[in-house]
Amino acid sequence: MSAWRGDRSRQVLRVLGDAAAALASLAGAFEVRIHLPVPFTRGLLPADRLFFLSQEWIAVLVFQLADLYFFGFYDRPRPQGRTDMARRLAGAVAFQALALVVYYYLGDRTFPRSTLLLYALFDFFLLFSWRLAVDRLGDLRGRRERLERRVAVVGSGQAAREIAGALRLHNWHGLKVAGYILLPHETAPETGSAAELGPCLGSLAELPGLLAAGEIDDIILADSGDSWQTRLIDHLAGTRPDRTNVLLLPGPFESLIGGMRYRWVHDLPLIEVVRESEWRISLPVKRLLDLAAGSLLLLLALPVLAVCAAAVKLSSPGPILYRQIRVGRDQRPFTLWKLRTMQVDAEAEAVEVLAQLDDPRLTPIGAFLRRLRLDELPQLVNVLAGSMSLVGPRPERPGFVQRYLKEVPGYAERFSLAPGLTGLAQVNGDYHSSPQNKLRYELAYMANWNIWLDLSILLRTVKIVLTSRGV
């Protein structure tokens, strides 16, 4: 918890400092223009122009904080060098300056133009200096506090190895894998396959002693999940009528999980795993959001789409659009449309292959389009047609679906919803995450859906596009 509190206090400092940087930069830009000659300007700015400062500080403050939020500067901080931080801040400040230009000039608002460039320069310098100071303060505090918590992973299967590998690779989370606990039904894994898990700490019976001795701080439960309950949900998927409820009489462990929906039968609590009316009520609302927001987004995207289409046509031989069969709701196939980002013969051998990092099949313009997700703009037509939704599970190809239905417990349940242009797995996970991990996000989305969750995912998608994360 100390690491979390430290991160939270530094985030508050960052927000306060970012707000102060915006106001100081704006005031400094006006003061310089009023008292000092600036190249490529005509004389000094009249002192009465200071009234703009009193009128416009709120707008500049809002633009500053919103810009840094969408560029990911208020996400949980990850390790980064000064060069990387400077590059990201430069992009964020440049985007903010462009947004202010649009706000003032396309909105026909009067504002001294020469102050905007000065504001951007001062803002970058203050933001960079302030964040370096906050990070150095965090490093000093980190030397005085033990921010790293030692965790024991309960289980030794694929799920356990996946979480252990992720924690070892991304150690900035503040969790260090101390070892693993072997479950009663498991056999000790081979030495090579258990490398990421570390040493075996013993059995479940030894956990209380490990905690009491201070050898571990936290426990992560990572069983395989291939239970009879999961297999039952697989069997029901696609055949379960909308009116069906699936209820669970919880044991002590399930009763401790927060955020559950309960129904009482006399003095017995039943957890609502699948609720009858939820999607029958929600789907029309979700469809209305798709039609309204999808139409608006497609209208706004038409100029960008035209430019991208021309770039695809001029940069490499072949069609502008690329169509592909994907699997949608109730496992029905549909045709998905994208801007072509690969060479025409990328899949000449007719074998379904996942896109790779720095994929050699990408065209030069295709890599750029993918980085900003511009290649997916034609899918807005799929959204309006109803074969896709703005938010939902990722649409997969038929070959992968057949494979995952056999290999991934619970995979069939994800087809209760139309696939999405974006989704919880896309904004939280990574493109190359395992299908098991993506399924966790997709089922969590289905169990917790509301209109605000969709709007939140759409906003977070904008952040990912601006920061080019997850490609």
Side-chain angles (χ1 to χ4, degrees), residues 215-352:
E215 295 186 29
I216 60 172
D217 301 302
D218 298 325
I219 299 168
I220 296 178
L221 307 181
D223 199 1
S224 65
D226 189 9
S227 63
W228 68 265
Q229 295 99 323
T230 302
R231 291 193 294 272
L232 174 63
I233 293 298
D234 260 346
H235 292 321
L236 294 176
T239 62
R240 186 181 68 248
D242 290 338
R243 64 181 180 276
T244 302
N245 295 291
V246 178
L247 306 171
L248 169 68
L249 180 63
F253 177 77
E254 290 87 359
S255 299
L256 289 171
I257 300 175
M260 293 291 189
R261 298 184 297 250
Y262 285 91
R263 183 184 301 183
W264 280 266
V265 178
H266 188 47
D267 62 345
L268 295 177
L270 296 177
I271 295 175
E272 294 181 337
V273 181
V274 178
R275 189 165 53 180
E276 169 200 357
S277 60
E278 183 171 10
W279 284 107
R280 286 201 294 178
I281 294 173
S282 303
L283 279 176
V285 178
K286 188 172 176 62
R287 181 63 183 148
L288 182 62
L289 174 66
D290 287 341
L291 290 173
S295 299
L296 178 61
L297 289 173
L298 183 58
L299 183 63
L300 295 174
L302 283 177
V304 178
L305 193 55
V307 172
C308 293
V312 171
K313 187 64 177 177
L314 296 173
S315 64
S316 64
I320 294 173
L321 293 176
Y322 174 68
R323 64 179 182 178
Q324 199 174 67
I325 299 299
R326 297 290 178 100
V327 180
R329 189 181 180 197
D330 297 328
Q331 299 189 38
R332 292 194 298 263
F334 71 97
T335 301
L336 177 142
W337 294 92
K338 300 176 71 173
L339 289 171
R340 183 175 57 82
T341 57
M342 291 189 175
Q343 302 161 8
V344 176
D345 58 349
E347 290 188 345
E349 298 179 2
V351 177
E352 294 183 0

Side-chain angles (χ1 to χ4, degrees), residues 18 30 49 69 95 110 118 128 189 210 215 241 249 252 266 290 332 360 372 450 453 464:
D18 295 342
F30 273 94
R49 293 296 189 272
Y69 167 79
F95 185 84
T110 304
L118 289 173
F128 184 70
L210 293 170
E215 295 186 29
L249 180 63
H266 188 47
D290 287 341
R332 292 194 298 263
L372 296 180
N450 58 55
L453 179 58
I464 290 175

Side-chain angles (χ1 to χ4, degrees), residues 14-24 61 64-65 68 74 127:
R14 287 186 181 94
V15 172
L16 294 176
D18 295 342
L23 299 180
L61 187 61
Q64 171 91 313
L65 298 181
L68 293 175
Y74 298 135
L127 287 174

Side-chain angles (χ1 to χ4, degrees), residues 286 389-394 417-424 426 442 445:
K286 188 172 176 62
S389 176
L390 286 175
V391 183
R394 179 180 177 82
L417 280 181
L421 190 61
T422 184
L424 195 61
Q426 290 93 310
E442 290 164 351
Y445 168 76

